Amino acid sequence: MARRLPVDPIAEAKRQWLAHGWTDAAAGMTAVTSIMRAQQLMLARVDATLRPFGLTFARYELLTLLSFSRAGRMPMASASARLQVHPTSVTNTVDRLQADGYVRREPHPVDGRATLVVLTDAGRDLAERATAALNAQVFAQPGLSSDDTDELVSIIARMRRAAGDFDDPRPTPEPL
């Protein structure tokens, strides 16, 4: 863990923004840099938890995504879309996981242009063990109260929605 600083550098940056007359941008700069710093802190905790499993967060996400799918398999393009990463990133992640025996590639049974990524038993076991560790060491205690966590998620969801990251699901029609 890094040494505690005697002053909050983000608060100091805001003070400097205000002192330089950038008043209209000071709050936004503070929000953006605060979120980026919080992401660094959270990622450090996640990385430390996943390190004993030989996983990065990207590798963990793919294993977990596959473990949530009905048959433990999906087209690589679907994995790319659901993880919101470039197809090249998924290919690199699959390469590493395949080399370790956690996934394998199979031809798509209908679409000859597509490749399925398939979770192996070893990959499913690893995903389960890594998830248990993340739940215990990170997710159950994210560093905020339950109310603050809910409020933060809501605020960030509004920001993501406004940025076009996702649409709200359509209401399910009433059964006939």
Side-chain angles (χ1 to χ4, degrees):
M1 174 136 182
R3 175 180 63 80
R4 282 185 183 258
L5 299 173
V7 66
D8 178 358
I10 296 172
E12 174 58 17
K14 182 178 183 182
R15 189 185 73 73
Q16 291 290 341
W17 245 248
L18 294 170
H20 282 83
W22 302 323
T23 307
D24 292 345
M29 179 282 301
T30 305
V32 169
T33 55
S34 293
I35 291 168
M36 292 172 77
R37 179 60 183 147
Q39 190 266 348
Q40 291 172 335
L41 294 169
M42 289 180 188
L43 190 56
R45 287 182 64 198
V46 168
D47 285 346
T49 303
L50 292 176
R51 191 171 298 114
F53 298 97
L55 291 174
T56 62
F57 191 62
R59 293 175 71 187
Y60 168 77
E61 279 186 307
L62 182 58
L63 289 175
T64 303
L65 175 65
L66 291 170
S67 74
F68 290 159
S69 68
R70 277 177 289 212
R73 66 185 67 222
M74 71 176 44
M76 289 182 56
S78 295
S80 174
R82 291 183 183 166
L83 295 173
Q84 298 176 306
V85 297
H86 193 273
T88 303
S89 296
V90 170
T91 298
N92 291 335
T93 301
V94 169
D95 287 346
R96 289 184 175 93
L97 290 170
Q98 187 171 12
D100 290 338
Y102 300 130
V103 300
R104 66 179 182 274
R105 288 177 169 91
E106 290 181 358
H108 194 286
V110 178
D111 183 352
R113 300 167 297 159
T115 300
L116 297 176
V117 59
V118 181
L119 186 63
T120 64
D121 290 341
R124 185 175 300 281
D125 177 66
L126 181 62
E128 289 172 3
R129 290 184 295 117
T131 298
L134 283 171
N135 284 341
Q137 298 174 35
V138 180
F139 299 152
Q141 298 292 324
L144 297 168
S145 71
S146 179
D147 288 344
D148 284 349
T149 299
D150 291 344
E151 184 177 357
L152 177 63
V153 169
S154 178
I155 290 167
I156 291 175
R158 288 193 308 269
M159 184 182 88
R160 291 175 50 226
R161 187 182 304 109
D165 194 34
F166 66 95
D167 291 324
D168 286 324
R170 293 187 178 103
T172 305
E174 292 293 323
L176 299 175

